[in-house]
């Protein structure tokens, strides 16, 4: 029996922040109001620090296997640990893509071998793999690329989409950009080398058409559906009216960057869906605050700077973000724009509930001890050369933030400390999913505890 006592912490619970002592035994939280003199092999002095649930990032692209010159599960999970991310869900568009049960199992094996933090892998939909999707069980859900993909992962034919929504039971998420609209815009702007045209090609109309289409499928088939990386204010009314089968998320680049930043940052902020306007930034943030959007994710998708330096449109879309995501939001707390309990909800509790991740997402008795210690007074500047992601750059390079994770615990084990570095001997575990619990709207009291 191994016990760790987090002593004198400002504990971030779902509804409040209070000072107290959290006791962990064999990787599970057993007391959230322990005596400060409780016997434990390890006592962590948390005076002046906040103890938060570890971040659950439900949308990352870690490039392993097949594209490991950009990232792999080892480098990416180090970036996660440094940023307070204790669990991630990775997308299927690797090489080969994870579109079979066996393909997902192969990625699980890579996670067990390489990852410092906990992991799960989506199974990808193709126009003709419904039978394989129906066999998948121990996965977070199904990912559909309704727009913007390569190989056989693009699914934009209505007949194929109807089959996926009607014949499968796993929750579904999708990249929503209308492929026809994107192609028409690209043809109209053919020959452009202006990076700003990326937001004209992947415009508001493309996002709205695809999101509306996906919501219609979810409503008609009564199928749980999660809208990934909402990028436009025009999608918000669709989300508000969608009913109990729908959840949605926002990515940090869609609230912190806009088209006015292209002259300064160029292809560093080239993303799919594209960056939109300052007004979209403002209204999307409000969508978080009013509950229209439930989740914050990163869509971490690194490319090398050499690749990014290619002239548009040869430059690829995607940016790295996992090691700075929590700090970006802690800085927002310090600026009075949101609260720590809201950040914990958006980045930990809500994604765990959406995907039925057992025992994750909040600090409560019986939950796994995936925790992050935060210093809300510490100020640091993001710098390319200090990034742990393999590509060694960040679109936020040069940005000073106040509020940083200083130590990260996975299953009660410290995997990262800002002074002592990483525990290279540790490996995270495959996440457990229980979709019978009904998803976000059926788990208002949380998705745990571990049974």
């Amino acid at each position: 029996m191994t016990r760790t006592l987090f002593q004198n912490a400002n504990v971030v619970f779902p509804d409040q922040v209070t000072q107290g002592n959290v006791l962990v035994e064999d990787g599970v939280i057993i007391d959230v109001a322990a005596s400060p003199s409780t016997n434990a092999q390890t006592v962590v002095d948390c005076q002046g620090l906040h103890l938060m649930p570890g971040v659950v990032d439900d949308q990352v692209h870690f490039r392993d296997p097949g594209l490991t010159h950009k990232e792999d599960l080892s480098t990416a999970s180090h970036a996660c640990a440094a940023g307070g991310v204790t669990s991630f869900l990775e997308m299927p568009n690797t090489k080969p893509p994870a579109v079979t049960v066996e393909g997902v199992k192969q990625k699980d094996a890579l996670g067990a071998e390489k990852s410092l933090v906990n992991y799960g892998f989506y199974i990808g939909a193709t126009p003709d793999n419904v039978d394989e999707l129906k066999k998948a069980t121990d996965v977070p859900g199904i990912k559909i690329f309704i727009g913007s993909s390569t190989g056989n992962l693009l699914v934009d034919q209505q007949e194929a989409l109807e089959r996926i929504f009607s014949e499968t039971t796993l929750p579904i998420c999708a990249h929503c950009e209308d492929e026809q609209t994107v192609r028409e815009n690209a043809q109209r702007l053919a020959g452009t080398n202006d990076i700003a045209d990326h937001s004209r090609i992947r415009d508001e109309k493309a996002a709205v058409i695809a999101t509306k289409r996906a919501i219609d499928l979810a409503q008609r088939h009564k199928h749980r559906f999660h809208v990934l990386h909402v990028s436009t204010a025009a999608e918000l009314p669709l989300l508000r009216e969608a009913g109990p089968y729908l959840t949605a998320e926002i990515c940090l680049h869609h609230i912190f960057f806009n088209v006015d930043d292209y002259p300064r940052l160029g292809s560093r902020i080239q993303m799919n869906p594209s960056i939109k306007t300052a007004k979209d930034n403002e209204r999307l943030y409000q969508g978080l605050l009013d509950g229209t959007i439930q989740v914050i994710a990163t869509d971490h998708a690194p490319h090398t700077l050499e690749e990014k330096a290619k002239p548009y449109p040869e430059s690829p879309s995607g940016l790295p973000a996992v090691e700075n995501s929590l700090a970006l939001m802690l800085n927002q707390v310090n600026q009075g724009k949101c609260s720590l309990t809201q950040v914990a909800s958006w980045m930990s509790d809500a994604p765990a509930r959406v995907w039925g991740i057992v025992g994750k997402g909040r600090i409560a008795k019986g939950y796994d001890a995936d925790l992050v210690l935060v210093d809300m007074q510490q100020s640091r500047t993001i710098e390319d050369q200090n990034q742990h992601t393999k590509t060694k750059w960040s679109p936020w390079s040069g940005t000073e933030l106040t509020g940083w994770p200083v130590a990260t615990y996975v299953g009660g084990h410290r995997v990262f400390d800002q002074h002592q570095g990483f525990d290279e001997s540790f490996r995270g575990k495959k996440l457990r999913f229980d979709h019978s619990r009904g998803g976000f709207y059926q788990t208002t009291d949380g998705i745990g505890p571990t049974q």
Side-chain angles (χ1 to χ4, degrees), residues 21-49:
N21 310 292
V22 174
L23 182 62
V24 172
E25 183 175 291
D26 293 338
V28 176
I29 298 167
I30 64 168
D31 195 346
V32 296
S35 166
S37 60
T38 300
N39 183 47
Q41 288 94 333
T42 303
V43 176
V44 182
D45 181 9
C46 305
Q47 190 68 45
L49 302 177

Side-chain angles (χ1 to χ4, degrees), residues 98-100 123-134 163-164:
V99 295
T100 64
I123 187 168
T126 73
D128 53 9
N129 76 333
V130 168
D131 290 341
E132 202 68 28
L133 301 179
K134 289 159 70 173
R163 285 198 65 197
I164 294 168

